[in-house]
Amino acid sequence: MSETPTFGLIDGNTFYVSCERVFDPSLRDKPTVVLGNGDGCCIALSPEAKALGLKIGTPIFQVPDAIRQQVCVRSANFALYGDLSARIVTILRDLFPRVEVYSIDENFVDVKGLKDPVAIALEARERILQWVGIPCCVGLGVTRTLAKAGNKLAKNQSKRAVKAGRLAVFHATPENIDQLPIEDVWGVGHRYAARLATEGVCNAADLASLPVEGVRARYGVTLARTQQELRGIPCGDLELEEPDRQQIVVSRMFGRDVSDPMDALATFATVACEKMRMKGLAAGALWVWLDGNPHNGNGFHVSRAIPLPLPTRDTGEVLRAVRFLATSMMRRGVQFKRVAMAITDWCMAWPVPRPTPLPPWAMPPSLRGCSMCLAGAPGVFWTLARAAPIPCSAAWPTH
Amino acid sequence: MRAHHIPDPPTLIGPIGIFSAHPLPMLAMRGACGFPSPAEDFFREDDRLDLNEKLIANPPATFLVQADCGGSMVDYGIHDGDLLIVDRSINVRPGHTVIVLWEGGFTVKKLYRRGNRIVLAASEGYAPIVVPEDVELDVWGVVRSNVHFHV
């Protein structure tokens, strides 16, 4: 047996489905899918739904009726998933000295120096299951890649078992990862996985045993690092600071084809501006893109970006620019399946104190009930109505 | 595409603002009548009362639920429409008010033990449920307190 682990990865099993099941007992043990992107595609599947042959990313309208009638379908409720995710992070911060929030359902934790990491991992799993209602699996290892591998292996060995107990924790070492298929190794994309498979590298242990120089020369430094980590040599620590994201993107695939995406874009712009102000940033440039429906043989993609004359934090200015960009690309009679807008090239705003919510009597009447006034109060006020989308005129450019 | 077979997602009243604090000065009068005490001039900072802190013992395990139980729990002080503060980290014991999964739905009941059977009791006029021995009761959470709105 190898030395004690340093990292743990705690991951909610089929997270979105589990979140729905906490509040809707009728979904338990039933094939369940969660649809994202305007109820277009499956973004989460329960094991029962996977067994029916559904895949992540499948548009729901392509699923044969016979199968569709057997599955319970839910629209994604990201406010709910985010809330449950934050609860899980709070529980983990109580138990572990350092926690890296890796994604909405995955958290790396520091288990270095803990007397019995497996026992604490089990305690964390139990607490999350009882307090929040989400079943989790835990992978442990001396590197983050091994912890991630352990998580995958724990999932495989505790499949479908909510009360999996000890089976839900797996301590991965360089010696016991031969059951992990190469495409499930963290950092190996499916293109590399296919190429490695042709050379007889089918699982994580095979990759670890390849000569180091050969991997670096033929696959590059990233895979060489992955290989080092699989051998138990750490190449990275927890990333506790959120990386500086280069852009804020809000996009949505519509459930039906839409000829006028202006309302949706206005809502996206409002959401993106709220995110931007929370981070204390200002928009330097905007980017809007519109896609047709490839399933109708209408697979065009148009996009256009503009720099703003001056960086701005004003939703109104961003809305005007987004509207200008979109109208310049819309054509009469053209239907869209997906629209997106991004704030790019943003810069730190000059130091402005975080806005505090204005009391209702102090708000200008035109802004009453508008979420922008409350933008400084995260978490508490999201249930209030968002700003109404800007009305748009029906007159489109005909060129 | 929002087909008719997709029911509305469960309504959450809202997230618990774990980091929010809205402290209010605590009045020493305890709801009694009469003059405000002159001692109120001597309130210190720590005399402030935070309702979140008072009502929510364990934020990550606490969920706010609106009671939808008609008159079935009036005898136990829960009226229809009350705000239930449900703490999932409390290990259930006889005498607790609980939200349980029963016959595919959530229901609020008082949990008792009679002999070696678990009984889910409600107001007078509502028959108590005696849980059969071979059924494993699924308790969703323990109701820590409820808030009744008089206006």
Side-chain angles (χ1 to χ4, degrees), chain A residues 196-220:
Chain A
L196 285 162
T198 61
E199 298 179 22
V201 178
C202 300
N203 62 50
D206 294 344
L207 176 59
S209 64
L210 285 181
V212 178
E213 284 311 312
V215 170
R216 179 166 307 149
R218 305 192 42 224
Y219 291 96

Side-chain angles (χ1 to χ4, degrees), chain A residues 105-327:
Chain A
D105 60 339
E106 293 168 292
N107 294 286
F108 279 108
V109 294
D110 181 0
V111 298
K112 202 176 188 172
L114 297 182
K115 220 176 260 165
D116 189 349
V118 175
I120 298 193
L122 277 168
E123 168 72 20
R125 194 195 114 85
E126 276 309 304
R127 271 196 201 178
I128 294 168
L129 185 59
Q130 186 189 342
W131 295 13
V132 188
I134 305 289
C136 290
C137 281
V138 188
L140 297 169
V142 288
T143 65
R144 299 203 310 155
T145 307
L146 280 173
K148 190 105 176 158
N151 184 277
K152 191 82 196 167
L153 290 165
K155 258 192 194 139
N156 291 349
Q157 73 179 3
S158 66
K159 238 175 205 161
R160 280 162 160 268
V162 172
K163 297 191 173 116
R166 294 196 81 83
L167 279 183
V169 179
F170 191 99
H171 178 188
T173 63
E175 292 80 40
N176 67 6
I177 49 173
D178 53 318
Q179 293 298 311
L180 187 72
I182 189 72
E183 65 267 23
D184 288 342
V185 174
W186 193 35
V188 177
H190 45 253
R191 212 175 301 163
Y192 273 177
R195 207 169 124 194
L196 285 162
T198 61
E199 298 179 22
V201 178
C202 300
N203 62 50
D206 294 344
L207 176 59
S209 64
L210 285 181
V212 178
E213 284 311 312
V215 170
R216 179 166 307 149
R218 305 192 42 224
Y219 291 96
V221 72
T222 316
L223 195 70
R225 279 170 58 125
T226 301
Q227 186 201 23
Q228 290 292 301
E229 290 231 316
L230 285 175
R231 290 180 171 199
I233 302 155
C235 299
D237 192 14
L238 298 186
E239 283 163 13
L240 301 177
E241 293 287 311
E242 197 179 342
D244 211 13
R245 292 222 185 89
Q246 290 309 299
Q247 55 184 22
I248 297 173
V249 181
V250 188
S251 83
R252 174 70 51 95
M253 192 190 275
F254 299 120
R256 60 190 164 81
D257 291 356
V258 167
S259 58
D260 181 359
M262 207 59 98
D263 283 359
L265 279 171
T267 311
F268 297 174
T270 315
V271 171
C273 286
E274 273 171 23
K275 280 192 196 170
M276 172 183 80
R277 281 194 298 268
M278 294 260 231
K279 291 167 182 271
L281 299 163
L286 294 173
W287 184 20
V288 172
W289 64 101
L290 311 170
D291 286 344
N293 187 351
H295 301 290
N296 291 352
N298 194 4
F300 65 91
H301 167 97
V302 282
S303 87
R304 199 175 165 192
I306 44 161
L308 295 168
L310 279 173
T312 181
R313 313 176 69 201
D314 180 351
T315 304
E317 278 179 45
V318 171
L319 281 173
R320 267 196 297 284
V322 164
R323 196 156 165 227
F324 164 77
L325 283 175
T327 29

Side-chain angles (χ1 to χ4, degrees), chain B residues 43-65:
Chain B
F43 275 155
R44 292 181 315 259
E45 264 308 291
D46 25 327
D47 291 332
R48 289 182 164 259
L49 174 71
D50 182 345
L51 277 184
N52 277 347
E53 210 180 286
K54 189 84 184 158
L55 294 172
I56 298 168
N58 189 357
T62 300
F63 294 83
L64 305 184
V65 178

Side-chain angles (χ1 to χ4, degrees), chain B residues 107-136:
Chain B
T107 170
V108 192
K109 294 282 182 237
K110 196 86 174 171
L111 185 139
Y112 287 117
R113 191 183 282 277
R114 189 188 295 158
N116 53 2
R117 291 291 201 61
I118 290 170
V119 179
L120 301 172
S123 294
E124 212 181 316
Y126 293 81
I129 299 167
V130 182
V131 181
E133 251 169 313
D134 55 332
V135 170
E136 198 188 341

Side-chain angles (χ1 to χ4, degrees), chain A residues 33-113:
Chain A
V33 302
V34 173
L35 302 180
N37 291 331
D39 287 350
C41 302
C42 305
I43 55 167
L45 302 167
S46 73
E48 299 85 1
K50 275 180 198 154
L52 288 173
L54 295 173
K55 296 254 172 348
I56 300 267
T58 312
I60 191 73
F61 69 85
Q62 284 185 352
V63 177
D65 275 350
I67 292 181
R68 209 167 133 187
Q69 277 153 17
Q70 295 174 52
V71 295
C72 303
V73 181
R74 289 290 177 276
S75 309
N77 181 350
F78 288 105
L80 172 70
Y81 312 149
D83 180 80
L84 296 186
S85 171
R87 291 166 188 264
I88 291 173
V89 174
T90 312
I91 291 171
L92 294 176
R93 292 218 161 113
D94 262 0
L95 287 168
F96 298 97
R98 298 192 303 156
V99 177
E100 176 195 342
V101 181
Y102 182 69
S103 73
I104 193 163
D105 60 339
E106 293 168 292
N107 294 286
F108 279 108
V109 294
D110 181 0
V111 298
K112 202 176 188 172

